[in-house]
Amino acid sequence: FDRTLRQERAAASAKLAEAVAQTTQVRVELQAKIAESETLIASLRARAEQLQARMAAMDAERVAQVRELETVLADKERIYAQAQAARERDIEALNARISALDRQVTEGQAALSAARVDFTRRLEEENATREKIIKDNATLVAQLRKQAADREE
């Protein structure tokens, strides 16, 4: 009887040690995944800040171009008061400059819009990735808890 009892205790101790080892291993894996997720989140935040800085620089450039365009338009009105010959020559030069600035502003706005769309898309992708990681971690934790509960029974 003692021998059977000792064997049962030894088997129970072995099962308990195995369960503890598995639980420790799962905990280490979860901690690694959490650390990886935190690193990813920090990286995503840094990328978002870089994109925001880039958008701010583009906005500043666009404002400067708009101010320059306003200056050119003011120059255009001043030139209309000058002599007819000089007026036509100056107007052609300024109109070419305005067209170039309009193209630059349009290109800048298109680039800014594309950057905003890309930034929004990346944030959505990164949020989806983060939510998937969180969901996967929650599923894993639930499975591990269920396994632990099943082992205890």
Side-chain angles (χ1 to χ4, degrees):
F1 178 74
D2 281 344
R3 184 175 160 196
T4 304
L5 182 60
R6 271 188 248 130
Q7 288 174 344
E8 288 176 4
R9 282 185 184 169
S13 291
K15 284 182 182 179
L16 180 60
E18 180 183 338
V20 167
Q22 287 177 350
T23 302
T24 302
Q25 179 185 357
V26 168
R27 184 186 53 182
V28 168
E29 289 172 1
L30 285 176
Q31 288 172 337
K33 285 184 180 184
I34 289 170
E36 182 181 315
S37 295
E38 289 172 349
T39 301
L40 176 62
I41 289 169
S43 170
L44 295 177
R45 283 186 180 143
R47 285 172 48 195
E49 289 174 4
Q50 288 173 346
L51 287 173
Q52 286 175 340
R54 199 167 124 207
M55 287 183 353
M58 289 175 138
D59 280 343
E61 182 180 340
R62 193 178 104 247
V63 166
Q65 290 172 343
V66 167
R67 285 188 182 142
E68 187 174 354
L69 182 60
E70 291 170 352
T71 301
V72 169
L73 290 173
D75 287 346
K76 183 178 176 180
E77 289 192 20
R78 182 179 42 84
I79 290 172
Y80 271 106
Q82 296 176 354
Q84 184 66 29
R87 182 182 302 160
E88 298 218 0
R89 188 177 57 244
D90 290 343
I91 287 173
E92 288 177 15
L94 287 173
N95 281 336
R97 187 175 172 196
I98 288 170
S99 295
L101 288 172
D102 279 339
R103 280 191 302 275
Q104 289 177 356
V105 167
T106 301
E107 291 169 2
Q109 287 173 337
L112 179 61
S113 178
R116 283 185 176 148
V117 167
D118 187 49
F119 174 72
T120 302
R121 180 189 56 77
R122 286 183 182 179
L123 280 180
E124 290 171 356
E125 289 174 1
E126 292 165 358
N127 284 339
T129 300
R130 186 178 70 236
E131 289 173 12
K132 183 180 181 322
I133 289 170
I134 291 169
K135 182 182 175 187
D136 290 348
N137 285 345
T139 302
L140 182 58
V141 168
Q143 289 173 352
L144 293 174
R145 285 183 178 156
K146 185 178 183 302
Q147 287 175 0
D150 290 346
R151 286 189 185 119
E152 286 180 10
E153 292 176 4

CSV table of all heavy atoms in Angstrom, one decimal, residues 73-88 90-91 94:
chain,number,residue,atom,x,y,z
A,73,LEU,N,0.7,88.2,-56.7
A,73,LEU,CA,-0.5,88.9,-57.1
A,73,LEU,C,-0.5,90.4,-56.8
A,73,LEU,O,-1.0,91.2,-57.6
A,73,LEU,CB,-1.7,88.2,-56.4
A,73,LEU,CG,-2.0,86.7,-56.9
A,73,LEU,CD1,-3.0,86.1,-56.1
A,73,LEU,CD2,-2.4,86.7,-58.4
A,74,ALA,N,0.0,90.7,-55.7
A,74,ALA,CA,0.1,92.2,-55.3
A,74,ALA,C,1.0,92.9,-56.3
A,74,ALA,O,0.7,94.0,-56.7
A,74,ALA,CB,0.6,92.3,-53.9
A,75,ASP,N,2.2,92.2,-56.6
A,75,ASP,CA,3.1,92.8,-57.6
A,75,ASP,C,2.4,93.0,-59.0
A,75,ASP,O,2.6,94.0,-59.7
A,75,ASP,CB,4.3,91.9,-57.8
A,75,ASP,CG,5.3,92.0,-56.7
A,75,ASP,OD1,5.1,92.9,-55.8
A,75,ASP,OD2,6.1,91.1,-56.6
A,76,LYS,N,1.5,92.0,-59.3
A,76,LYS,CA,0.8,92.1,-60.6
A,76,LYS,C,-0.1,93.3,-60.7
A,76,LYS,O,-0.1,94.0,-61.7
A,76,LYS,CB,0.0,90.8,-60.8
A,76,LYS,CG,-0.7,90.7,-62.1
A,76,LYS,CD,-1.5,89.4,-62.2
A,76,LYS,CE,-2.3,89.3,-63.4
A,76,LYS,NZ,-3.0,88.0,-63.5
A,77,GLU,N,-0.8,93.6,-59.6
A,77,GLU,CA,-1.7,94.8,-59.6
A,77,GLU,C,-0.9,96.1,-59.6
A,77,GLU,O,-1.3,97.0,-60.3
A,77,GLU,CB,-2.5,94.7,-58.3
A,77,GLU,CG,-3.6,93.6,-58.4
A,77,GLU,CD,-4.6,93.8,-57.3
A,77,GLU,OE1,-4.8,94.8,-56.8
A,77,GLU,OE2,-5.3,92.7,-57.1
A,78,ARG,N,0.3,96.1,-59.0
A,78,ARG,CA,1.1,97.3,-59.0
A,78,ARG,C,1.6,97.6,-60.4
A,78,ARG,O,1.7,98.7,-60.9
A,78,ARG,CB,2.3,97.2,-58.0
A,78,ARG,CG,3.2,98.4,-57.9
A,78,ARG,CD,4.3,98.2,-56.9
A,78,ARG,NE,5.0,96.9,-57.0
A,78,ARG,CZ,5.9,96.5,-57.8
A,78,ARG,NH1,6.4,97.4,-58.7
A,78,ARG,NH2,6.5,95.3,-57.7
A,79,ILE,N,2.0,96.5,-61.1
A,79,ILE,CA,2.6,96.6,-62.5
A,79,ILE,C,1.5,97.2,-63.5
A,79,ILE,O,1.9,97.9,-64.4
A,79,ILE,CB,3.1,95.3,-62.9
A,79,ILE,CG1,4.4,95.0,-62.1
A,79,ILE,CG2,3.4,95.2,-64.4
A,79,ILE,CD1,4.9,93.6,-62.3
A,80,TYR,N,0.2,96.9,-63.2
A,80,TYR,CA,-0.8,97.3,-64.2
A,80,TYR,C,-0.9,98.9,-64.2
A,80,TYR,O,-1.3,99.5,-65.2
A,80,TYR,CB,-2.2,96.8,-63.7
A,80,TYR,CG,-2.5,95.5,-64.4
A,80,TYR,CD1,-2.5,94.3,-63.6
A,80,TYR,CD2,-2.8,95.4,-65.7
A,80,TYR,CE1,-2.7,93.1,-64.2
A,80,TYR,CE2,-3.1,94.2,-66.3
A,80,TYR,CZ,-3.1,93.0,-65.6
A,80,TYR,OH,-3.3,91.8,-66.1
A,81,ALA,N,-0.4,99.5,-63.2
A,81,ALA,CA,-0.4,101.0,-63.1
A,81,ALA,C,0.8,101.6,-63.9
A,81,ALA,O,0.8,102.8,-64.2
A,81,ALA,CB,-0.3,101.5,-61.7
A,82,GLN,N,1.8,100.8,-64.3
A,82,GLN,CA,2.9,101.3,-65.0
A,82,GLN,C,2.6,101.5,-66.5
A,82,GLN,O,1.5,101.1,-67.0
A,82,GLN,CB,4.1,100.4,-64.8
A,82,GLN,CG,4.6,100.3,-63.4
A,82,GLN,CD,5.7,99.3,-63.2
A,82,GLN,OE1,6.0,98.6,-64.1
A,82,GLN,NE2,6.2,99.2,-62.0
A,83,ALA,N,3.6,101.9,-67.2
A,83,ALA,CA,3.4,102.2,-68.7
A,83,ALA,C,3.0,100.9,-69.4
A,83,ALA,O,3.3,99.8,-69.0
A,83,ALA,CB,4.7,102.7,-69.3
A,84,GLN,N,2.3,101.1,-70.6
A,84,GLN,CA,1.7,99.9,-71.3
A,84,GLN,C,2.8,98.9,-71.8
A,84,GLN,O,2.6,97.7,-71.6
A,84,GLN,CB,1.0,100.5,-72.5
A,84,GLN,CG,0.2,99.4,-73.3
A,84,GLN,CD,-0.9,98.8,-72.5
A,84,GLN,OE1,-1.5,99.4,-71.7
A,84,GLN,NE2,-1.2,97.5,-72.9
A,85,ALA,N,3.9,99.4,-72.3
A,85,ALA,CA,4.9,98.5,-72.8
A,85,ALA,C,5.6,97.6,-71.6
A,85,ALA,O,5.7,96.4,-71.7
A,85,ALA,CB,6.0,99.2,-73.5
A,86,ALA,N,5.9,98.3,-70.6
A,86,ALA,CA,6.5,97.6,-69.4
A,86,ALA,C,5.5,96.7,-68.8
A,86,ALA,O,5.8,95.6,-68.3
A,86,ALA,CB,7.0,98.7,-68.4
A,87,ARG,N,4.2,97.2,-68.8
A,87,ARG,CA,3.2,96.4,-68.2
A,87,ARG,C,3.1,95.0,-68.8
A,87,ARG,O,3.0,94.0,-68.1
A,87,ARG,CB,1.8,97.1,-68.3
A,87,ARG,CG,0.7,96.4,-67.6
A,87,ARG,CD,-0.6,97.1,-67.7
A,87,ARG,NE,-0.5,98.4,-67.1
A,87,ARG,CZ,-1.4,99.4,-67.4
A,87,ARG,NH1,-2.4,99.2,-68.3
A,87,ARG,NH2,-1.2,100.6,-66.9
A,88,GLU,N,3.0,95.0,-70.1
A,88,GLU,CA,2.8,93.7,-70.8
A,88,GLU,C,4.0,92.7,-70.6
A,88,GLU,O,3.8,91.6,-70.3
A,88,GLU,CB,2.6,93.9,-72.3
A,88,GLU,CG,1.4,94.7,-72.5
A,88,GLU,CD,0.6,94.3,-73.7
A,88,GLU,OE1,1.0,93.3,-74.4
A,88,GLU,OE2,-0.4,94.9,-74.0
A,90,ASP,N,6.2,92.8,-68.0
A,90,ASP,CA,6.2,92.4,-66.6
A,90,ASP,C,5.1,91.4,-66.3
A,90,ASP,O,5.3,90.4,-65.6
A,90,ASP,CB,6.1,93.6,-65.7
A,90,ASP,CG,7.4,94.4,-65.7
A,90,ASP,OD1,8.4,93.9,-66.2
A,90,ASP,OD2,7.3,95.6,-65.2
A,91,ILE,N,3.9,91.6,-66.9
A,91,ILE,CA,2.8,90.7,-66.7
A,91,ILE,C,3.1,89.3,-67.2
A,91,ILE,O,2.8,88.3,-66.5
A,91,ILE,CB,1.5,91.3,-67.3
A,91,ILE,CG1,1.0,92.5,-66.5
A,91,ILE,CG2,0.4,90.2,-67.4
A,91,ILE,CD1,-0.2,93.2,-67.1
A,94,LEU,N,5.5,87.7,-64.7
A,94,LEU,CA,4.8,87.3,-63.4
A,94,LEU,C,3.8,86.2,-63.6
A,94,LEU,O,3.6,85.3,-62.8
A,94,LEU,CB,4.1,88.5,-62.9
A,94,LEU,CG,5.0,89.6,-62.2
A,94,LEU,CD1,4.3,90.8,-61.9
A,94,LEU,CD2,5.7,89.0,-61.0
